Amino acid sequence: MRTWRVGTFSMGASLLFLGLFLFFSRILNFNLVQVMTAWWPLLLVVLGVEILLYLFLSRQEKPVLKYDFLSIFFVGVIGTVGIAFAVLSATGLMDKAEEVMAREERSFELPAFSYQMDDSIKRVVVRTVGYDMTIEATEEKEVSMFGTYRVQTGKKEQLLKSADDIIVANKKGDTLYLNMKTLPNEIGPFDSQGMVAGTILVPKDVKLEVIGTGNSLMLKPRMLANDWDIESASSIIVDVSENNNLKVAAVGVEHVSGKDGEWQVSEKESPEYGTSKNAVYQSGEGKYRIHIANAYDVSLYSNH
């Protein structure tokens, strides 16, 4: 007569239930992670029912449980995996892993930003945070910003809901301070920093100061009617195609290029920084000045 060992039926039932759950998850588009975290308690129910049936059906006065240890080990492994899924889901790590698996790079428009200028504002200070930016002089009497940003995300909705999520404007005395923010980014091993390609428009007759963080800047002064000061950017490109009254002065830079023969370059030796260049380019009378300091590379280009 064949001996019934507790665990054999449980293993068969476990495989049956797991197969059915996975089968219906494909047909009904169930979330596989939710299936794995929900079905495993049935293992304990099946194993308990099997023990009770063995005790009830046993004809011995003092029945002795005989276990199929290999089957129980297999059921235990499946149960442990289910518990692990449940713990990860409870701590939020499972949701994080799901989000990472569904991620792809998406591009969105930056929320529109504008600040209406008045005659009391004489200076604008822009502090960037490592993103490549274009800064352009404009005839309008407002400071505005537009552009795009690119992030890795599993969600289709925009990461930035309003302009306050990317830039903060504060007026102090005669100065408007614009502080850029980094894109929202949770700390974790799966996160990566996004990219921003933005353009800031500044009234041409207002003094401008830009404080970089080792990023690249494109300057389009157009018909500039005041001075610009730029510092701590790695690479700066200046469009001089439409300027007839401009002087570009680069101090302490490594390389200058563009407008060959029109740069006036002098080299300076420093025990701390080695050899650096001071360079000046002038268009027309050079009434308005773009002063560049602590940059690695400065280049000029013209569309004409």
Side-chain angles (χ1 to χ4, degrees):
M1 184 177 180
R2 182 173 299 175
T3 302
W4 181 4
R5 293 182 178 273
V6 174
T8 305
F9 176 78
S10 298
M11 182 180 70
S14 300
L15 293 175
L16 176 63
F17 281 124
L18 179 59
L20 288 175
F21 269 103
L22 295 178
F23 176 74
F24 285 110
S25 69
R26 294 295 300 273
I27 294 179
L28 302 177
N29 292 323
F30 290 157
N31 188 304
L32 183 58
V33 174
Q34 293 179 352
V35 169
M36 292 300 294
T37 56
W39 84 279
W40 68 268
L42 289 175
L43 297 177
L44 302 178
V45 175
V46 171
L47 186 59
V49 169
E50 184 177 6
I51 293 175
L52 292 176
L53 284 176
Y54 178 83
L55 295 175
F56 179 77
L57 298 177
S58 176
R59 299 182 182 278
Q60 301 177 15
E61 184 177 349
K62 294 182 179 180
V64 178
L65 293 176
K66 297 180 180 181
Y67 295 97
D68 185 342
F69 290 103
L70 182 61
S71 298
I72 292 178
F73 173 77
F74 181 77
V75 172
V77 170
I78 298 178
T80 301
V81 172
I83 293 173
F85 270 98
V87 171
L88 292 175
S89 179
T91 57
L93 291 177
M94 188 59 67
D95 294 336
K96 187 67 175 177
E98 283 187 88
E99 180 186 342
V100 171
M101 294 298 293
R103 277 187 176 185
E104 61 181 1
E105 286 201 355
R106 299 177 185 271
S107 294
F108 303 96
E109 289 187 14
L110 287 171
F113 167 81
S114 64
Y115 190 98
Q116 194 66 39
M117 302 286 284
D118 56 51
D119 294 338
S120 66
I121 300 177
K122 308 298 183 182
R123 184 175 68 130
V124 174
V125 178
V126 179
R127 185 180 296 274
T128 64
V129 289
Y131 300 126
D132 297 343
M133 302 293 296
T134 298
I135 299 177
E136 184 172 345
T138 179
E139 300 280 354
E140 303 295 329
K141 294 298 182 181
E142 67 175 10
V143 176
S144 59
M145 186 183 74
F146 59 90
T148 61
Y149 65 97
R150 188 171 182 83
V151 292
Q152 285 190 1
T153 179
K155 302 175 182 179
K156 294 185 178 180
E157 64 267 19
Q158 293 197 22
L159 189 64
L160 304 177
K161 304 300 182 182
S162 68
D164 292 337
D165 294 331
I166 192 65
I167 190 170
V168 176
N170 290 296
K171 182 178 179 293
K172 300 292 183 181
D174 65 350
T175 302
L176 175 65
Y177 295 91
L178 300 177
N179 293 307
M180 297 286 298
K181 295 181 180 180
T182 57
L183 294 175
N185 185 34
E186 296 179 1
I187 298 175
F190 304 111
D191 297 289
S192 60
Q193 185 63 48
M195 297 182 295
V196 173
T199 298
I200 297 178
L201 303 181
V202 180
K204 66 178 185 178
D205 56 351
V206 174
K207 181 177 176 60
L208 174 68
E209 296 180 18
V210 180
I211 303 172
T213 53
N215 52 324
S216 298
L217 297 175
M218 165 72 79
L219 305 181
K220 295 186 175 182
R222 302 174 69 183
M223 299 303 294
L224 189 63
N226 211 318
D227 295 338
W228 285 6
D229 289 320
I230 316 295
E231 65 176 88
S232 300
S234 63
S235 176
I236 298 175
I237 301 175
V238 185
D239 179 2
V240 294
S241 59
E242 299 179 3
N243 291 277
N244 297 316
N245 203 10
L246 177 69
K247 177 185 287 187
V248 179
V251 178
V253 298
E254 294 292 328
H255 302 283
V256 292
S257 60
K259 294 293 183 179
D260 293 339
E262 298 186 42
W263 279 109
Q264 298 178 12
V265 182
S266 61
E267 294 188 351
K268 179 181 179 181
E269 291 288 343
S270 169
E272 183 178 359
Y273 300 105
T275 303
S276 61
K277 294 183 175 65
N278 294 340
V280 176
Y281 164 82
Q282 182 168 319
S283 174
E285 298 179 359
K287 180 179 180 181
Y288 302 110
R289 177 184 62 109
I290 296 180
H291 182 266
I292 298 172
N294 300 325
Y296 180 78
D297 178 80
V298 178
S299 60
L300 307 178
Y301 91 100
S302 173
N303 290 323
H304 301 291

